[in-house]
Amino acid sequence: MTRHSPAVGVLVVEDEEIPAEAHAEYVRRTPGFRLAGIARTGAEALEALKDAESAPSGSEAEIGLVLLDMNLPDLHGLDLLRRIRGAGLPVDVIAITAVRDLAVVRSAMSGGIVQYLIKPFTYSAFSAKLTAYAEYRRRMAEQAASTTQSEVDSAFAALRPAVAGQLPKGLSAETLEAVADLLKGARAPLSATEAAESLAMSRITTRRYLEYLADQQSVLRSPRYGTRGRPELEYSWRR
């Protein structure tokens, strides 16, 4: 996104209060984006989007991006996505949800979402998704009325940055990134228990990711002495 590009208005659609406020704060912290509102139901989201459609271009009420949770009290996220598309509302949608069901992911992709971010995640993971989306918008805006295949490929490539090799079965790139970001920002080494509590994950699952990062030489793994019984392992990011 260029320096003079207006900030993208973002509508957070999330029924739970704490995640809604957290995502709103993440939007406020991300350069190039501004919070246009929070909707706690599908009906509220549709009303906000229809109101924004009649707002002047560049106004504070304008919405360009929806952060969509799948589990809403009145509509499933996929139903809301279909209504948005059926109404011809000119917004992009990023799914932000704990839903990992492959059928839901496929339906969301076919419905035209531009990103799928699985909870739990850190601000760093959130920011990376929005930064990639901003670059996609920038590349699309720079294209003429008639574009070329390479220009289209370049725009979509911004949404799908290359990732490192295949992960072991049962590990997801999004959760791995969340674990890595936690260690990068930690002031001291963390045990699997401490990391699990911070990420709201099980200790066993968290330890799998920590061990994978250690095996990849991204994380230092060492025993923590001074505790009763067998020393507990602690993990820290290699600086």
Side-chain angles (χ1 to χ4, degrees), residues 56-151:
S57 178
S59 73
E60 287 298 308
E62 190 176 21
I63 298 172
L65 177 64
V66 175
L67 303 184
L68 177 62
D69 183 33
M70 289 293 153
N71 295 318
L72 299 172
D74 57 340
L75 286 174
H76 191 279
L78 291 177
D79 293 325
L80 178 55
L81 179 61
R82 295 185 189 103
R83 294 192 186 190
I84 290 173
R85 295 299 176 234
L89 297 172
V91 296
D92 290 318
V93 178
I94 293 178
I96 295 187
T97 176
V99 176
R100 299 167 181 264
D101 187 89
L102 184 58
V104 173
V105 176
R106 286 175 172 169
S107 295
M109 297 295 288
S110 64
I113 66 162
V114 293
Q115 298 276 16
Y116 199 105
L117 183 56
I118 297 177
K119 302 173 184 176
F121 53 84
T122 62
Y123 171 70
S124 178
F126 177 93
S127 177
K129 293 291 186 184
L130 261 65
T131 298
Y133 169 71
E135 178 62 15
Y136 160 76
R137 280 181 65 101
R138 184 191 68 78
R139 294 183 188 184
M140 292 296 288
E142 288 180 349
Q143 297 186 28
S146 178
T147 188
T148 65
Q149 183 65 57
S150 62
E151 289 171 335

Side-chain angles (χ1 to χ4, degrees), residues 22-23 38 71 188:
H23 299 163
I38 298 175
N71 295 318

